[in-house]
Amino acid sequence: MDRLAAMEMFICVVETGSFTAASRRLNLGQPAVSKTIAQLEERLGVRLLIRSTRGLTPTEAGEEYYQRAKRAMDDINEAESAARGSGSGLTGRLRICAPVTFARLHILPQLGPFLARNPELNVDVVLDDRHVDLISEGIDVALRLGDLRDSSLIARRLATCRLLILGTPDYFARAGEPRIPEDLSAHQAVVYTQRGGGGSKWVFRRQEEERIVNGRGRVRVSAAEGIRTLVLAGLGLAMASEWMFAPELAAGQVVPVLNDWHLPTMDLWGVFPTGRMASAKARAFVAYLAEVVPGGASSLADPNYSRAE
């Protein structure tokens, strides 16, 4: 059995969901595909596929084999492309993961030019505010905001923006505008509880002066979309990044306060699976984002890939 051909065939079966569809894509007879998969299962000593009402679906072992085989085939395709000196752009599939709101505002609108530049490339976008496991989810590159606490991650800093205290003009007309950080104790805060979102401990600095305030409010939210909805509805103020409210800041629908005080900045990182080299597709994508994301000037984008500190 040709192991590489069997691996490629198995990938096709999983992606199409049936032996028949896979045989059409591969231009092979259906019995040949079925026989090869049976031989692969026999050689590995484990069942890779099960039949269901939806067709063929991978077992747990089959899903793990698929994810690793897919990455191996991507690496092989990239190696062949590099050897040929191909100048026609990237090929294959790129799987990225990004926070929902950040991706909606700053990533998805920028995909068009990147795809036009690489017409043979397909992109899977996984939208999730959680920090998913890159290996088990088959992610080529994840976009993460804030501090990276896992020192084993391989990452590249892509952009930086400010954190602001902001709310709607109507909210501040009703509740009054805070003049010093301590005034926030009289305000309703919408607190972002997601990791990297800032939490309820807000550290303000002005020259050599530092003041720490605990944001207090009746609502705590684990997703940026919830923060946006509540702030825009006038239920309170929030500490949020410029990225989160970029359209509304530009339109004056929300306004920043305490502008003579400074909060910590927020970084955007491109994070890669540990234990293997970042693919050419992933490297090209994060390099592109460093150019198009607000705050991603070349002076901020570290061109080196290193472990997070």
Side-chain angles (χ1 to χ4, degrees):
M1 179 180 60
D2 185 328
R3 294 174 63 183
L4 188 60
M7 183 183 295
E8 195 168 19
M9 206 172 294
F10 177 75
I11 292 170
C12 190
V13 170
V14 171
E15 293 180 345
T16 60
S18 74
F19 291 134
T20 301
S23 66
R24 284 198 298 265
R25 178 187 291 186
L26 297 169
N27 198 26
L28 295 171
Q30 188 270 341
V33 175
S34 178
K35 180 179 179 181
T36 299
I37 300 304
Q39 290 174 336
L40 178 61
E41 290 179 320
E42 183 178 356
R43 187 178 69 80
L44 296 176
V46 65
R47 191 174 186 183
L48 299 175
L49 296 168
I50 56 174
R51 292 188 179 276
S52 70
T53 55
R54 295 178 297 171
L56 292 172
T57 57
T59 62
E60 182 177 352
E63 181 63 29
E64 176 69 16
Y65 183 79
Y66 167 77
Q67 296 293 349
R68 293 178 180 272
K70 189 71 170 64
R71 291 196 294 270
M73 290 303 303
D74 286 344
D75 289 342
I76 290 169
N77 291 333
E78 286 184 13
E80 290 182 347
S81 178
R84 289 194 298 266
S86 174
S88 60
L90 303 170
T91 62
R93 186 171 298 276
L94 173 67
R95 188 168 169 82
I96 66 175
C97 182
V100 178
T101 298
F102 184 82
R104 179 174 68 82
L105 294 175
H106 302 290
I107 303 300
L108 299 181
Q110 300 291 351
L111 272 183
F114 184 74
L115 293 173
R117 188 183 304 172
N118 301 283
E120 298 301 317
L121 181 68
N122 296 313
V123 177
D124 288 346
V125 182
V126 178
L127 299 180
D128 202 319
D129 286 341
R130 299 170 303 140
H131 287 186
V132 303
D133 184 273
L134 306 189
I135 298 295
S136 64
E137 295 290 335
I139 303 297
D140 295 299
V141 59
L143 301 176
R144 291 184 179 172
L145 299 168
D147 296 331
L148 295 183
R149 301 175 187 175
D150 187 347
S151 62
S152 68
L153 293 172
I154 305 300
R156 174 182 171 181
R157 186 165 67 108
L158 304 180
T160 295
C161 82
R162 296 182 300 164
L163 291 175
L164 304 170
I165 300 296
L166 46 76
T168 63
D170 286 346
Y171 170 78
F172 289 122
R174 295 195 316 271
E177 182 178 327
R179 301 298 178 182
I180 59 175
E182 288 77 7
D183 288 347
L184 294 172
S185 62
H187 284 262
Q188 284 294 315
V190 181
V191 177
Y192 188 20
T193 61
Q194 187 61 249
R195 177 178 173 181
S200 59
K201 184 178 179 180
W202 301 345
V203 181
F204 293 85
R205 290 187 175 88
R206 184 173 63 183
Q207 298 178 351
E208 301 301 318
E209 191 176 2
E210 178 180 286
R211 298 187 188 181
I212 299 176
V213 174
N214 290 317
R216 299 175 181 175
R218 299 171 62 190
V219 184
R220 298 166 64 88
V221 184
S222 63
E225 283 298 309
I227 298 292
R228 284 176 48 81
T229 298
L230 292 168
V231 168
L232 293 174
L235 269 69
L237 53 74
M239 181 178 78
S241 71
E242 292 176 289
W243 287 323
M244 188 186 293
F245 285 91
E248 291 78 17
L249 281 166
Q253 292 176 271
V254 296
V255 294
V257 295
L258 298 172
N259 294 317
D260 53 339
W261 291 85
H262 301 285
L263 289 159
T265 57
M266 174 174 283
D267 291 328
L268 170 67
W269 298 86
V271 179
F272 307 91
T274 304
R276 63 187 180 93
M277 183 179 296
S279 69
K281 294 188 288 285
R283 293 195 303 273
F285 183 67
V286 297
Y288 172 72
L289 291 183
E291 296 297 326
V292 300
V293 170
S298 58
S299 60
L300 295 176
D302 182 356
N304 298 314
Y305 297 83
S306 58
R307 294 193 180 276
E309 298 179 355

